[in-house]
Amino acid sequence: MAAAQAVEEMRSRVVLGEFGVRNVHTTDFPGNYSGYDDAWDQDRFEKNFRVDVVHMDENSLEFDMVGIDAAIANAFRRILLAEVPTMAVEKVLVYNNTSIVQDEILAHRLGLIPIHADPRLFEYRNQGDEEGTEIDTLQFRLQVRCTRNPHAAKDSSDPNELYVNHKVYTRHMTWVPLGNQADLFPEGTIRPVHDDILIAQLRPGQEIDLLMHCVKGIGKKVARIANPRLDTFSREIFRNEKLKKVVQLARVRDHYIFSVESTGVLPPDVLVSEAIKILMGKCRRFLDELEAVQMD
Amino acid sequence: MNAPPAFESFLLFEGEKNLEAWLGSEAQPPSHCLSLHIRQLLKDPQVLFAGYKVPHPLEHKIIIRVQTTPDYSPQEAFTNAITDLISELSLLEERFRVAIKDKQEGIE
């Protein structure tokens, strides 16, 4: 009886012992355990698999997946973090920058700003294409000049009073439509996600005047285009008191809780759907390649 | 840039019922997401060995090795594994969409 229970535990639970985690690896492969039929069975998967949404709002989503393997959960996590495409500033053409912030620092900061544009409506830019066309590029203009406020009190020391335009926010970015983009995207839809991100600070006489090109990219190539933040951890703590009153803490192996937080470009449930599609696309490409080679 | 154009190729070294496939791509480096395929292959009782390794972390190359029983070709095993994966993922997508829709309807 104890042996059967131990086998069951090894197959289905990850144990958190006092000094470390045990039983982490999946072991239910065919032939490993006698008496268990572990060959892949689509029907059995369908019966056991479950998705429950715990909590959902505009920018964050929490859901459970029961019945999948760690490899899939992890593949999901990796894809959500690094392979779901977004639009972000890639090229910055600086016409004038007399601020304290160096050109490259400014450009780096601009690249981190999330841009509210559905990446599915855009194509990837061809390699070597310098100019960019309306189908793969978004253009933004940032032009801010700081001046002294003539109406400020004589002995004031508050920068908000003394200077005009001394803080450069994302709301100062204006969209410059290319080609037919003005027809496709109504006024106000293409913008940074948040308009209160501080880009730089200026003093009178300093000016920033630059043009930005946003392209579609994935986090793998460009580490900054990371879309959501995702924490994965498996819960469902199962307490099991044994004869010697040793409390054992174990986690059910195939119950995963996903918590996805989006940067605001796409709603989190769309992000997860896209991630699933990307994963399927990879599989299909693999299949095609395999078939192409088999022809030889 | 000096990067060579994107490519993905299979080099098959076949001996008996072995298959060693070598794949690499510049544009979309294959990642450890491939572990999914290996896991799926391992679920097949006719697959004797399935594994992958990355020869060097700075080079985007992955070698996959599959060994099967004599009456079953490794390519077939691979194809079946991928097909199973695709059906599993589409089920996942569907269930997820249903779950989201239920939640949204529950809220309204």
Side-chain angles (χ1 to χ4, degrees):
Chain A
M1 212 40 236
Q5 199 183 32
V7 167
E8 197 46 53
E9 181 190 289
M10 201 157 58
R11 284 170 58 87
S12 66
R13 300 239 185 303
V14 175
V15 180
L16 285 84
E18 192 180 347
F19 301 110
V21 188
R22 295 181 280 127
N23 270 355
V24 178
H25 301 288
T26 341
T27 48
D28 52 347
F29 300 117
N32 245 357
Y33 299 102
S34 61
Y36 285 90
D37 173 24
D38 282 326
W40 172 252
D41 184 13
Q42 176 77 4
D43 297 321
R44 202 174 38 197
F45 171 68
E46 274 184 42
K47 262 201 301 221
N48 288 336
F49 178 64
R50 223 175 66 219
V51 176
D52 298 313
V53 177
V54 171
H55 165 82
M56 186 166 104
D57 64 33
E58 266 183 29
N59 284 331
S60 76
L61 167 69
E62 199 177 309
F63 66 99
D64 290 11
M65 279 211 265
V66 184
I68 56 164
D69 188 75
I72 298 198
N74 193 36
F76 252 135
R77 191 190 57 88
R78 293 177 70 110
I79 291 193
L80 266 170
L81 276 175
E83 293 200 44
V84 178
T86 42
M87 300 294 290
V89 175
E90 170 112 1
K91 247 199 182 79
V92 178
L93 306 165
V94 184
Y95 297 128
N96 188 6
N97 176 22
T98 40
S99 74
I100 283 286
V101 185
Q102 295 93 332
D103 286 354
E104 57 268 23
I105 308 291
L106 196 53
H108 177 79
R109 287 179 69 85
L110 291 168
L112 290 164
I113 299 173
I115 306 288
H116 189 279
D118 191 334
R120 296 170 292 182
L121 301 173
F122 293 90
E123 302 287 328
Y124 287 99
R125 195 188 266 198
N126 292 325
Q127 244 180 354
D129 183 4
E130 288 299 324
E131 276 303 316
T133 63
E134 63 209 11
I135 197 69
D136 57 33
T137 310
L138 282 174
Q139 218 176 54
F140 284 89
R141 187 84 193 275
L142 180 64
Q143 188 180 19
V144 185
R145 175 183 300 195
C146 178
T147 53
R148 215 174 277 279
N149 181 3
H151 306 292
K154 267 282 166 50
D155 48 356
S156 160
S157 60
D158 175 15
N160 291 326
E161 252 194 58
L162 285 173
Y163 312 124
V164 173
N165 277 346
H166 71 285
K167 283 193 174 157
V168 180
Y169 289 99
T170 39
R171 72 175 85 97
H172 291 122
M173 283 167 60
T174 49
W175 175 44
V176 179
L178 291 172
N180 64 349
Q181 282 176 353
D183 305 320
L184 289 171
F185 304 107
E187 191 64 40
T189 52
I190 304 287
R191 52 178 173 77
V193 175
H194 308 283
D195 60 358
D196 54 355
I197 300 180
L198 182 62
I199 302 177
Q201 291 203 37
L202 304 171
R203 284 296 178 265
Q206 295 177 350
E207 181 182 355
I208 292 181
D209 184 2
L210 45 86
L211 199 60
M212 301 173 253
H213 284 183
C214 294
V215 295
K216 184 169 170 177
I218 59 176
K220 267 231 189 105
K221 279 193 301 191
V222 187
R224 61 175 181 260
I225 309 183
N227 208 334
R229 285 204 324 250
L230 178 147
D231 309 307
T232 48
F233 45 97
S234 53
R235 232 198 272 167
E236 190 96 350
I237 310 241
F238 175 92
R239 277 174 192 261
N240 179 6
E241 278 199 5
K242 289 195 161 172
L243 290 171
K244 297 183 196 157
K245 306 249 183 209
V246 169
V247 173
Q248 191 183 51
L249 218 60
R251 294 181 173 184
V252 177
R253 184 188 295 287
D254 55 1
H255 183 143
Y256 287 96
I257 300 185
F258 279 79
S259 163
V260 184
E261 186 182 321
S262 160
T263 51
V265 179
L266 291 169
D269 51 314
V270 173
L271 282 173
V272 178
S273 307
E274 286 298 303
I276 301 179
K277 288 200 191 101
I278 291 177
L279 199 46
M280 281 207 286
K282 278 184 181 238
C283 289
R284 288 214 180 90
R285 247 182 47 206
F286 221 144
L287 208 53
D288 294 337
E289 283 281 335
L290 200 61
E291 276 166 20
V293 169
Q294 274 181 353
M295 293 301 175
D296 308 342
Chain B
M1 268 247 306
N2 288 335
F7 70 93
E8 192 171 306
S9 70
F10 276 75
L11 268 176
L12 302 176
F13 306 111
E14 282 198 61
E16 293 184 287
K17 37 198 156 79
N18 281 4
L19 171 89
E20 238 177 62
W22 169 109
L23 54 103
S25 156
E26 280 302 323
Q28 281 222 332
S31 71
H32 296 268
C33 285
L34 285 176
S35 63
L36 264 184
H37 299 84
I38 301 294
R39 186 213 66 138
Q40 194 61 38
L41 276 168
L42 287 169
K43 288 267 180 183
D44 187 340
Q46 283 182 301
V47 168
L48 298 174
F49 179 90
Y52 80 97
K53 66 176 171 184
V54 184
H56 189 98
L58 290 179
E59 278 182 13
H60 296 295
K61 260 189 253 184
I62 294 187
I63 299 188
I64 307 179
R65 178 154 175 250
V66 181
Q67 187 178 350
T68 57
T69 54
D71 53 340
Y72 194 44
S73 96
Q75 287 97 326
E76 209 184 313
F78 218 81
T79 319
N80 287 343
I82 300 185
T83 321
D84 285 337
L85 252 182
I86 294 183
S87 54
E88 190 177 337
L89 286 172
S90 45
L91 178 75
L92 203 137
E93 181 181 15
E94 197 189 304
R95 289 275 172 91
F96 179 72
R97 256 184 299 136
V98 167
I100 292 279
K101 207 162 53 128
D102 288 343
K103 185 73 183 183
Q104 278 174 334
E105 276 163 19
I107 294 177
E108 286 156 27

